[in-house]
Amino acid sequence: MALKTVICIGMAGSGKTTFMQRLNSHIRSNKKKTPYVINLDPAVLKIPYGANIDIRDSIKYKKVMENYELGPNGAIVTSLNLFSTKIDQVIKLVENKKDKYDHCIIDTPGQIECFVWSASGSIITESFASTFPTVVAYIVDTPRNSNPTTFMSNMLYACSILYKTKLPMVVVFNKTDVKNADFAKEWMTDFESFQQAIQEDQNGDEFGMGSGYMGSLINSMSLMLEEFYSQLDICGVSSYTGRGFDEFLDIVDKKVLEYEDFYKTERERILKEKEEKEKERKEKSLNGLMKDLKIDNNRTGTKEDNEEAEVVSDIEEGDYDGLVDRDEDEGIEREYTFAAEDRLSGEINDGTADLQKRYQQAFEKTGKKASSETAENIAKYIRN
């Protein structure tokens, strides 16, 4: 069976990290297999599970704040941006271990917008989705969503994430040991029940904040989301007691089949469409260049002459795959995404000036080489 990736996303305080811990232990005890665990939260001080890949090994969050003079959210976004530049190495590490694991579970920052709406979040999500069957688990704090207005806000956020990622989604109502999630399931399947809850909330609001325009707006949005609910899988879990995790894993298996039947096909269609558009753009650009140089379009050179110059921006990896021995979390194999020489002694900003200088020299050298090869190819084309 292919490696299944579960990306855990949710509002701050929804219990994502505790959910990750319980999911990790549940898979170990019930499935008798160890999941591959990745932590993408650079600001967390301690995680209650062993991570195979931890962003904190490569990026020092406090140093990013100090050296770039950023606030907490800006530093998280910058850390994710730096990490995403090495996402190809992360994917390679996971691919090398896909025969040993059935699940890859990924924890994301509590500041949901830093991951969902940033370019790095899209790069990381799409990199996994294009390689492995990927499911998004949207974690909801059940007790806090007992108010219909708050509930509707969370559902709109879930809808926007589904639209943004274009991946199968499971809405996970967490903390069911505090409040049962039956009310949420009823609201999502019975419009009249949700209307009644809105009316009761309006009547019981002493400040009048739930009446008038707000009530009308929520009613309209609930009607709009009916189709969204019909395509959505939901389950209630308790990260404290472990209840509901068997149901969650069953839904993930079902969503993997949905990914194979629909999302993968749709993704391949979109990629093919982008490839065709890019090909048309290149042909149009080439025709414009030939017109400017007054070259006959019917003349053709050799295959070697027509090949485009390749610019290699990354150094190819050797046999070293970044594996290191664990210092803690006995029994968990830690993998660093950056090779030792790339980690800059563990500080992302150590030697920044030298690194910038090397980038500039590499850019100038590569640019000159590409320009020289392009000019030479054009000259050969004209001579022929």
Side-chain angles (χ1 to χ4, degrees):
M1 183 177 289
L3 179 72
K4 293 165 281 193
T5 301
V6 180
I7 302 177
C8 298
I9 299 175
M11 298 285 189
S14 61
K16 288 189 308 303
T17 302
T18 312
F19 175 84
M20 283 280 295
Q21 178 192 24
R22 177 62 69 174
L23 181 60
N24 181 17
S25 60
H26 186 84
I27 293 173
R28 285 169 178 267
S29 59
N30 291 60
K31 302 295 182 180
K32 306 301 181 184
K33 294 205 77 173
T34 304
Y36 198 90
V37 184
I38 300 175
N39 172 48
L40 294 181
D41 189 350
V44 67
L45 294 177
K46 187 177 180 181
I47 51 177
Y49 50 81
N52 298 89
I53 296 177
D54 195 333
I55 188 174
R56 297 175 301 165
D57 294 332
S58 306
I59 311 295
K60 299 300 180 184
Y61 170 73
K62 289 185 178 180
K63 285 294 182 181
V64 172
M65 286 185 68
E66 292 172 6
N67 293 329
Y68 291 98
E69 298 181 354
L70 297 169
N73 288 348
I76 290 174
V77 172
T78 303
S79 299
L80 286 169
N81 289 343
L82 293 167
F83 186 81
S84 65
T85 62
K86 298 292 183 179
I87 190 63
D88 59 323
Q89 295 182 27
V90 177
I91 297 297
K92 184 176 180 180
L93 289 171
V94 179
E95 274 193 304
N96 290 340
K97 301 298 178 65
K98 64 183 180 182
D99 294 332
K100 293 176 58 179
Y101 301 92
D102 288 340
H103 296 84
C104 174
I105 56 178
I106 303 173
D107 195 9
T108 59
Q111 290 76 1
I112 188 172
E113 66 280 357
C114 293
F115 181 80
V116 174
W117 305 116
S118 66
S120 55
S122 297
I123 291 170
I124 293 169
T125 302
E126 291 179 8
S127 296
F128 276 98
S130 61
T131 312
F132 310 104
T134 304
V135 177
V136 173
Y138 182 69
I139 316 299
V140 177
D141 187 339
T142 307
R144 288 186 181 179
N145 282 269
S146 56
N147 178 280
T149 305
T150 308
F151 174 82
M152 180 54 60
S153 299
N154 244 302
M155 291 303 101
L156 286 172
Y157 220 118
C159 182
S160 65
I161 292 172
L162 178 65
Y163 178 78
K164 180 76 165 56
T165 60
K166 296 182 176 64
L167 289 171
M169 175 184 283
V170 184
V171 175
V172 182
F173 288 95
N174 196 14
K175 305 182 183 179
T176 55
D177 56 293
V178 178
K179 185 172 182 62
N180 197 292
D182 289 343
F183 75 92
K185 296 177 181 179
E186 184 180 358
W187 287 354
M188 296 173 75
T189 55
D190 187 352
F191 174 71
E192 292 181 358
S193 174
F194 185 70
Q195 277 190 319
Q196 184 180 353
I198 294 173
Q199 188 64 40
E200 291 174 357
D201 184 56
Q202 291 175 355
N203 296 335
D205 191 350
E206 59 179 321
F207 299 104
M209 298 296 289
S211 60
Y213 174 76
M214 182 59 72
S216 176
L217 177 64
I218 294 173
N219 263 323
S220 300
M221 289 190 294
S222 63
L223 279 171
M224 178 194 70
L225 290 177
E226 272 192 319
E227 186 172 349
F228 168 67
Y229 292 153
S230 66
Q231 303 297 322
L232 200 63
D233 281 281
I234 59 176
C235 72
V237 303
S238 170
S239 298
Y240 181 72
T241 64
R243 185 177 61 189
F245 278 84
D246 283 327
E247 180 188 359
F248 171 74
L249 290 175
D250 290 340
I251 293 175
V252 168
D253 290 339
K254 187 176 78 171
K255 286 294 182 181
V256 167
L257 297 177
E258 185 180 318
Y259 168 90
E260 297 288 350
D261 294 339
F262 176 73
Y263 288 90
K264 186 178 180 181
T265 304
E266 181 67 12
R267 183 173 293 274
E268 289 174 352
R269 185 192 66 79
I270 292 172
L271 290 175
K272 185 177 180 181
E273 189 177 290
K274 285 184 178 179
E275 185 180 344
E276 290 175 354
K277 287 183 179 179
E278 180 65 15
K279 185 178 179 181
E280 290 177 5
R281 186 193 66 79
K282 286 183 178 180
E283 288 179 356
K284 185 177 179 181
S285 178
L286 179 60
N287 290 335
L289 174 63
M290 296 176 73
K291 184 177 179 181
D292 291 340
L293 295 174
K294 297 181 180 180
I295 300 174
D296 186 1
N297 288 345
N298 294 324
R299 295 182 60 185
T300 57
T302 63
K303 180 179 178 182
E304 182 178 353
D305 293 336
N306 290 329
E307 288 181 351
E308 295 182 3
E310 294 182 358
V311 179
V312 180
S313 58
D314 295 326
I315 301 174
E316 294 182 359
E317 294 182 30
D319 294 332
Y320 177 71
D321 63 357
L323 300 185
V324 296
D325 294 328
R326 289 282 305 183
D327 295 327
E328 53 185 352
D329 297 322
E330 184 177 357
I332 302 297
E333 183 181 31
R334 173 69 63 83
E335 300 181 21
Y336 290 98
T337 55
F338 296 173
E341 60 271 18
D342 292 334
R343 286 205 304 273
L344 305 177
S345 303
E347 305 294 342
I348 196 61
N349 289 285
D350 288 353
T352 302
D354 295 337
L355 183 61
Q356 181 64 30
K357 185 177 179 181
R358 294 204 306 272
Y359 282 163
Q360 186 64 28
Q361 289 173 350
F363 175 76
E364 291 175 356
K365 181 179 178 182
T366 306
K368 288 178 181 177
K369 181 179 178 182
S371 298
S372 175
E373 290 179 353
T374 303
E376 185 179 344
N377 285 339
I378 291 175
K380 288 181 179 179
Y381 185 93
I382 294 172
R383 287 199 301 269
N384 290 332

